[in-house]
Amino acid sequence: MARRARSAVLLLALAFLHVAQQQQLAAYPFHVSCSGLAASKQTCLFNNVCFVPGANASLTVLLHGTSTAQHTELARRHFEGLLAPHYGGGVWFNASNAPAPVRSDPDGPTVDHAVTLFWRPDPNNQYSFGHALVNEVFSMFLVLSNHFGDHIPRRLQVVCASSWHPVLHHLVSSMIAHRAQLWTDKMKAHERGVCYRHVLVGDGGYVHASRASLTNSGHPQAAQYASGPSFFSSRNWWAFRAYALELAGVVEDNSAHHTRPRDLVLLNDKRHGSEADRRMIMDIEQVAANLSAALPSAEVAAVRIRDLAWPDQLRVLTRTSVFITTQGSSAFRLIFLPRGAVCVMVGAPAEPGSEWESFHELDKWFPLSWVEFVKYEVPLNATWAYEPSPLSCTWVNNTNTRDRGWCLYNANIRLNASRLHGIVAPFVRA
């Protein structure tokens, strides 16, 4: 009896905590940068909303349990832009005091009880791991965290209101929710409509959001984030990392660094299947072999990370002690390195007058407190170290600063074995 009483008290306390949390969130909406970096987007969680297709390619959005014009207008403002491109006959919004359906009816809309996140990604954010991760997937996580705190529902799905590239779809289904589909596919499967118990409109399409979100970025809008949650804070990245690991079913080895059998030194081989990439480490197998001979106590491996299944990628990264990589999209996996890991970032220093910043992934996007970053800078005049192929540019005699900077930023790089060993050795146990 006493145990049941304690359980009842605990449940009641949790209920009050949830109400207080929702009130706090309502009073302080979380702002994220929009495309122009000069405004913020509002996100809203709606309950009991039905979407019913009508005649002449129209759609009716019906809000149950409310009759206020304010709520109807709020729904119109959030949903109309997302859905209108699919309905030439218009999107219409109505409110009803009638209770929402609680179960699916063969003659009516399907009732979907999962928390649903509506999203419209920017086309430019969909084709590479890095842009999709930073500007869409991580933004999804922050929107969810704003509304649910540390208790993001596991019964979750994402509905894309526009279209998405396989790269973005893979990241969303791997890191946010296993159920991720297009709005058009959802409605084809439910021709009589869908009633969502909980639908969160996140919108999406954040472009270069990181530049204004760091309070130390120097951007004119950066100051607005000083008093609120830091968009790209180390704490937020760590929370996202934990969420993604749990979703993938990967249990991290949290034993102390010194108790692990051997340190893993991982070189990021950017080749994928038969495809090459930009910013690769040249002769990477030989580099790994030389480093292995010089560090006999460590496990040294050059791994084509993108060729691994997603959970296997995470398992390798979470046990890596030293991660050696050039800049670029695939390097963004560094957020999954464990506490105490070291990332050796290889790249060209900034050339005066060039718009192509060096190490911008490191300096601008990832303020990670649990990873120590070390730069392997390649001198601008080290012509032997840069290989611009397969890019169609020559930089050695190029006097155009912009073109030369672009070549340096994207070139493959040859590493000096003794210099690399000198950088890595202090972080590897003898």
Side-chain angles (χ1 to χ4, degrees):
M1 178 70 71
R3 182 178 298 175
R4 286 199 296 269
R6 286 195 298 269
S7 299
V9 171
L10 177 60
L11 289 174
L12 184 61
L14 290 173
F16 277 115
L17 177 63
H18 176 74
V19 171
Q21 181 187 55
Q22 294 305 311
Q23 290 175 341
Q24 181 182 14
L25 290 170
Y28 183 73
F30 180 64
H31 295 285
V32 288
S33 303
C34 72
S35 301
L37 296 178
S40 298
K41 292 182 178 181
Q42 183 186 46
T43 63
C44 285
L45 178 65
F46 294 87
N47 296 319
N48 300 318
V49 183
C50 293
F51 300 83
V52 182
N56 301 317
S58 64
L59 179 74
T60 297
V61 181
L62 182 62
L63 280 69
H64 284 276
T66 179
S67 59
T68 66
Q70 180 183 4
H71 288 163
T72 304
E73 173 59 23
L74 192 64
R76 186 200 63 76
R77 180 152 48 91
H78 281 78
F79 285 108
E80 188 172 42
L82 298 176
L83 301 176
H86 303 293
Y87 298 96
V91 179
W92 309 97
F93 294 83
N94 295 309
S96 171
N97 283 319
V102 295
R103 61 177 61 89
S104 301
D105 186 329
D107 297 323
T110 299
V111 177
D112 197 324
H113 292 270
V115 173
T116 302
L117 174 63
F118 260 71
W119 205 261
R120 178 176 54 185
D122 187 282
N124 295 319
N125 294 337
Q126 302 198 29
Y127 302 98
S128 71
F129 182 96
H131 286 278
L133 171 68
V134 171
N135 292 316
E136 301 294 346
V137 177
F138 186 57
S139 299
M140 289 182 186
F141 174 77
L142 293 176
V143 167
L144 290 165
S145 298
N146 174 47
H147 289 273
F148 301 106
D150 295 331
H151 305 286
I152 296 175
R154 293 304 181 258
R155 192 176 183 183
L156 176 69
Q157 64 183 342
V158 178
V159 172
C160 177
S162 53
S163 62
W164 49 22
H165 187 272
V167 170
L168 176 59
H169 180 258
H170 170 68
L171 265 64
V172 172
S173 59
S174 298
M175 300 186 197
I176 298 297
H178 293 313
R179 294 176 61 190
Q181 64 183 139
L182 296 173
W183 168 257
T184 51
D185 291 339
K186 183 80 173 181
M187 296 307 287
K188 285 179 183 177
H190 306 285
E191 295 181 351
R192 295 185 181 273
V194 178
C195 290
Y196 291 105
R197 297 304 305 272
H198 311 283
V199 56
L200 174 59
V201 185
D203 196 2
Y206 304 111
V207 181
H208 302 307
S210 59
R211 297 306 177 93
S213 61
L214 285 175
T215 57
N216 62 352
S217 68
H219 193 279
Q221 273 73 47
Q224 74 187 74
Y225 298 93
S227 60
S230 176
F231 187 62
F232 275 61
S233 71
S234 185
R235 180 184 180 277
N236 284 337
W237 275 117
W238 183 258
F240 171 75
R241 177 185 184 276
Y243 178 85
L245 290 177
E246 181 180 348
L247 188 67
V250 174
V251 179
E252 186 174 8
D253 178 10
N254 289 316
S255 59
H257 176 77
H258 65 272
T259 65
R260 296 171 186 166
R262 302 175 71 192
D263 290 330
L264 172 60
V265 179
L266 181 67
L267 289 94
N268 182 16
D269 188 340
K270 292 189 173 182
R271 290 173 294 183
H272 178 42
S274 60
E275 298 178 9
D277 200 351
R278 298 180 295 181
R279 311 176 195 125
M280 296 192 300
I281 297 175
M282 301 294 290
D283 305 317
I284 193 169
E285 292 91 350
Q286 188 60 52
V287 172
N290 293 340
L291 201 57
S292 180
L295 300 170
S297 64
E299 176 187 356
V300 181
V303 177
R304 298 188 183 191
I305 299 178
R306 289 189 293 170
D307 284 349
L308 302 177
W310 177 244
D312 293 332
Q313 293 185 36
L314 296 180
R315 292 186 183 98
V316 169
L317 290 164
T318 54
R319 70 180 188 90
T320 295
S321 299
V322 181
F323 183 52
I324 304 171
T325 181
T326 53
Q327 298 185 98
S329 187
S330 68
F332 287 25
R333 289 169 173 83
L334 58 85
I335 65 170
F336 295 107
L337 294 174
R339 289 192 185 277
V342 174
C343 177
V344 178
M345 187 71 77
V346 179
E351 186 170 23
S354 174
E355 66 180 271
W356 309 109
E357 304 175 27
S358 64
F359 301 103
H360 72 276
E361 288 93 348
L362 168 61
D363 295 335
K364 295 291 187 182
W365 286 352
F366 296 109
L368 308 185
S369 62
W370 68 90
V371 176
E372 181 175 350
F373 290 97
V374 179
K375 295 179 181 179
Y376 181 114
E377 292 195 35
V378 184
L380 296 173
N381 60 354
T383 56
W384 64 271
Y386 291 101
E387 174 54 68
S389 179
L391 299 177
S392 57
C393 63
T394 57
W395 64 273
V396 177
N397 298 315
N398 197 327
T399 58
N400 184 303
T401 300
R402 184 182 189 280
D403 293 343
R404 177 183 167 89
W406 175 247
C407 289
L408 288 170
Y409 177 65
N410 287 287
N412 301 327
I413 296 177
R414 294 184 179 86
L415 302 183
N416 179 283
S418 60
R419 183 184 171 199
L420 181 63
H421 172 257
I423 292 175
V424 174
F427 304 105
V428 176
R429 290 171 295 166

